Amino acid sequence: MTYLSSAAILVETDDATLLCDPWLEDGAFYGSWCHYPPLEASPDDFGDVDGIYISHIHPDHFDPATLRQFDTDIPVYVHDYRWDYLREEIGALGFDVIELDHDSRTHLAGDLHINILAADACDPEICGNYFGCSWVEGNPELGSTQVDSLAAIDDGEHVVVNMNDCPYPMVETSMREIKERYGDVDLLCHQYSAAQFYPSACSTTATRRNSKRATASSWRNTNSPRSSSTC
């Protein structure tokens, strides 16, 4: 497995490759997000992949600017969500979109398989417990009402689980299903920090140091002993 940037990873076996959540062009979220450090990889480096997995519709995972640079003959795999907005957006770019049911291990190419699971395990009550989705409670026919999915990717011997943005503990049920099906997991890909404003809105070290000095000086001037009529 190769980590590229953000949630983008490349999973490879001897005879198959899967690209996950390829956000490879700066300017997501209406031009406000970019890669730091600058990303060395480009879409041209992955033109021969056997498939693309898009976990959910957020622009740092589903990036039209990146996908437009890929051959539309590459199949794109997504979870079969209750609503078809992700499939329709990808399909509008010309791709063949393959929607997979929750926990359905599917052959991709060579010895590589993908299994996409909903963050809420297709149980609306789980979503209701954590996000107050009261309108879906008691309506199991709705299926997955969350925007996130995760994927178990295997070659029959090794298992990589890509959790991307799935919130815990909502995803615990789906993770238990993975454990039951696969047993040991060789590699878990999990988010390690929230999207943030560093470095564009952070002071440099020198500026922070000067700011601390100014704050300390101001505090001393404000809190130093002074004479008063009560002394």
Side-chain angles (χ1 to χ4, degrees), residues 9-11 15-22 46-54 67 70-71 73-78 95-96 98 107-109 112 114 153:
I9 63 172
L10 181 69
V11 181
D15 54 3
T17 55
L18 174 67
L19 184 62
C20 304
D21 286 344
F46 310 103
D48 59 349
V49 298
D50 295 293
I52 298 173
Y53 162 56
I54 304 294
L67 290 180
F70 283 92
D71 190 332
D73 288 338
I74 299 173
V76 179
Y77 296 85
V78 302
F95 288 93
D96 180 19
I98 300 173
H107 179 249
L108 192 147
L112 199 60
I114 183 171
I153 305 156

Side-chain angles (χ1 to χ4, degrees), residues 95 139 222:
F95 288 93
N139 294 288
T222 303

Side-chain angles (χ1 to χ4, degrees), residues 19 21 33 88 92 108-109 112 116 127 150 168 174 176 200 211:
L19 184 62
D21 286 344
W33 282 29
E88 291 172 353
L108 192 147
L112 199 60
I116 302 176
C127 177
L150 66 151
Y168 192 88
S174 288
R176 290 187 183 279
S200 60
S211 176

Side-chain angles (χ1 to χ4, degrees), residues 97-176:
V97 184
I98 300 173
E99 293 180 294
L100 299 184
D101 291 335
H102 175 78
D103 197 15
S104 299
R105 182 174 180 264
T106 302
H107 179 249
L108 192 147
D111 54 1
L112 199 60
H113 294 76
I114 183 171
N115 184 5
I116 302 176
L117 295 89
D120 58 4
C122 288
D123 183 350
E125 187 174 350
I126 293 178
C127 177
N129 288 339
Y130 294 105
F131 285 93
C133 308
S134 58
W135 65 276
V136 303
E137 293 180 11
N139 294 288
E141 70 280 0
L142 289 177
S144 176
T145 56
Q146 253 292 303
V147 300
D148 291 305
S149 71
L150 66 151
I153 305 156
D154 78 279
D155 63 357
E157 182 178 359
H158 301 99
V159 181
V160 174
V161 174
N162 182 7
M163 290 181 63
N164 54 80
D165 284 2
C166 288
Y168 192 88
M170 176 186 288
V171 77
E172 182 176 351
T173 299
S174 288
M175 291 301 294
R176 290 187 183 279

